[in-house]
């Protein structure tokens, strides 16, 4: 049997295959129920209704079974809500390398800055970007285009 946290953390996001659910910040906890010995994994979806979550739940159970922990339970918690702040530095770098604009960290102190101000082109870094479609290659991403280099890119939706 191998470490259940390691097994769960190695699961990649089914839509953005370059990043793990740990790097994306949706893996909240991996615990072993002392009574039953079952592994309980807690995840927080990136946004409510993301269809990828069913795939992620199945992938976690499969990874844990392969690591010697059958019958793992995956719990979904919505509070506190996932925020793009939870994406790790390594995760942000991977998203940028894959041409996906990582959402900027939310500003501290309660001032809400519209996300559109923070979307930079992942290829040339230009802030001159525009949203083309609310839905990109998947429901969790929006399609944007850079006005400087004219390249379209996916932008992860932030809450
Ligand atoms: Zn550009």
């Amino acid at each position: 049997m191998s470490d259940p946290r390691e097994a769960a953390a190695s699961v990649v996001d089914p839509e953005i295959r370059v990043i793990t659910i740990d790097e994306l910040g949706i893996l909240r906890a991996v615990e072993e129920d002392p009574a039953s010995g079952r592994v309980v994994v807690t995840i927080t979806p990136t946004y409510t209704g993301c269809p990828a979550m069913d795939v992620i739940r199945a992938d976690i159970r499969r990874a844990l079974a392969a690591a010697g922990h059958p019958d793992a339970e995956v719990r979904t918690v919505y509070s506190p809500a996932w925020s793009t702040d939870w994406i790790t530095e390594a995760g942000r770098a991977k998203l940028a390398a894959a041409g996906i604009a990582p959402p900027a960290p939310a500003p501290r102190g309660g001032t809400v800055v519209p996300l559109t101000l923070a979307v930079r082109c992942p290829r040339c870094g230009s802030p001159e970007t525009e949203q083309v479609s609310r839905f990109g290659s998947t429901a969790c991403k929006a399609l944007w285009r850079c006005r400087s280099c004219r390249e379209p890119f996916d932008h992860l939706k932030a809450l």
Side-chain angles (χ1 to χ4, degrees):
M1 282 207 288
S2 52
D3 180 21
R5 188 174 201 291
E6 229 166 75
S10 68
V11 171
V12 295
D13 182 272
E15 305 200 303
I16 317 164
R17 307 217 51 109
V18 298
I19 190 168
T20 68
I21 59 171
D22 192 33
E23 289 163 339
L24 201 51
I26 64 177
L27 182 63
R28 300 254 51 81
V30 180
E31 291 147 334
E32 223 156 328
D33 187 316
S36 66
R38 281 177 84 193
V39 173
V40 179
V41 178
T42 307
I43 55 172
T44 297
T46 50
Y47 82 100
T48 312
C50 183
M53 295 315 289
D54 288 337
V55 179
I56 291 174
R57 276 190 277 270
D59 284 351
I60 290 172
R61 276 192 288 266
R62 198 175 308 127
L64 284 166
H69 303 278
D71 307 323
E73 185 186 336
V74 181
R75 287 182 192 156
T76 309
V77 291
Y78 292 94
S79 179
W82 177 84
S83 118
T84 52
D85 289 356
W86 294 2
I87 303 176
T88 65
E89 281 303 313
R92 281 173 203 283
K94 285 185 178 181
L95 288 177
I100 300 163
R108 307 282 170 205
T111 316
V112 177
V113 177
L115 188 69
T116 48
L117 292 179
V119 178
R120 279 179 179 275
C121 171
R123 290 186 175 82
C124 72
S126 168
E128 298 291 315
T129 58
E130 60 190 355
Q131 191 179 61
V132 179
S133 162
R134 280 188 57 222
F135 295 99
S137 53
T138 72
C140 303
K141 285 179 278 186
L143 185 65
W144 285 65
R145 183 170 52 210
C146 175
R147 282 201 283 258
S148 297
C149 69
R150 309 231 157 248
E151 284 294 317
F153 61 91
D154 280 335
H155 177 65
L156 262 194
K157 284 178 188 173
L159 282 172

